[in-house]
Amino acid sequence: MTNSTGRRVTANLSLTLDGRYHGPGGPGDFAAFAPYVTSEVARDHMSLMWENATTAVLGRINAEGFLGYWPSVAEDENADPRDRGYAKWLVGTEKVVFSSTLAEAPWERTRVVNAPAADVVTDLKAATGEGDILVNSSASIIKPLLAAGLLDRLYLMVFPEIAGGGRRLFDDGLPASTWTLTHQRTGGLGEIAMVYDRAR
């Protein structure tokens, strides 16, 4: 068993009331999410999730989307300061991208891995360094980490929409676990930002 440095493993994801992280149209269907993602509560929540993180973990699809969009925000002096803060963090931080198709990373400070998520994150925890390991909106990585009991904190946004279809985060068969609500804030549109810490 590898010794752990005690780095916290965190993850963020937005969900509809029926627990979906995208709509019935597939992974690109975020129609139910669009009205809420730029709210004051959502932007403050985003700042909360990255402020202690020093490693970003992403799936390939998210990496391509995020790193195609956020670098220009980092340079935009007119962008919301919270958006710009996140963008600068994402560009500058260590990134680990899961992919079975990329041979090498087209982005700076990025390492591509093709291995089980639990093994990679266990190695990251054991490596020297400080700060949280943030799994950034990538359900394909969050799910196996939940199954392995490796997640220490969940940053969840719940939007007051029923998508009626799409993939769910919490699948049947996950091991039972208990979580403590450490932060909660409700926005004017009915969106709720929550932080849950794993009770161990």
Side-chain angles (χ1 to χ4, degrees):
M1 181 85 181
T2 318
N3 288 330
S4 171
T5 56
R7 294 182 74 191
R8 186 168 54 184
V9 182
T10 69
N12 75 290
L13 204 61
S14 296
L15 303 172
T16 57
L17 278 180
D18 52 343
R20 320 282 183 170
Y21 56 87
H22 64 67
D29 181 359
F30 293 109
F33 299 70
Y36 310 98
V37 293
T38 56
S39 74
E40 292 298 302
V41 166
R43 282 186 157 126
D44 288 346
H45 189 66
M46 183 168 67
S47 298
L48 202 60
M49 77 187 191
W50 68 261
E51 64 186 2
N52 294 313
T54 54
T55 302
V57 176
L58 300 136
R60 177 188 59 83
I61 293 172
N62 269 7
E64 289 175 346
F66 286 12
L67 294 165
Y69 172 76
W70 287 106
S72 63
V73 178
E75 302 298 323
D76 182 0
E77 292 181 6
N78 297 313
D80 184 287
R82 292 162 296 186
D83 291 355
R84 201 166 180 213
Y86 170 75
K88 286 181 171 182
W89 170 80
L90 184 64
V91 169
T93 200
E94 172 195 25
K95 291 171 284 292
V96 177
V97 173
F98 282 78
S99 175
S100 58
T101 55
L102 282 177
E104 57 185 46
W107 314 288
E108 291 183 4
R109 290 174 284 283
T110 305
R111 179 164 57 96
V112 173
V113 296
N114 181 12
D119 293 350
V120 173
V121 168
T122 298
D123 287 347
L124 283 171
K125 277 178 69 78
T128 55
E130 295 179 347
D132 292 351
I133 299 159
L134 172 64
V135 183
N136 211 334
S137 285
S138 298
S140 61
I141 302 165
I142 296 170
K143 287 183 178 191
L145 296 182
L146 277 171
L150 285 170
L151 277 183
D152 302 307
R153 171 171 282 185
L154 280 169
Y155 294 94
L156 295 179
M157 286 287 306
V158 175
F159 300 140
E161 303 269 348
I162 292 175
R167 299 288 300 275
R168 284 194 171 100
L169 175 61
F170 300 109
D171 293 327
D172 288 348
L174 285 172
S177 56
T178 302
W179 297 76
T180 302
L181 181 66
T182 57
H183 174 85
Q184 179 181 337
R185 190 173 162 206
T186 304
L189 299 173
E191 74 279 23
I192 305 175
M194 294 170 288
V195 181
Y196 282 99
D197 284 343
R198 174 79 186 267
R200 297 191 186 274

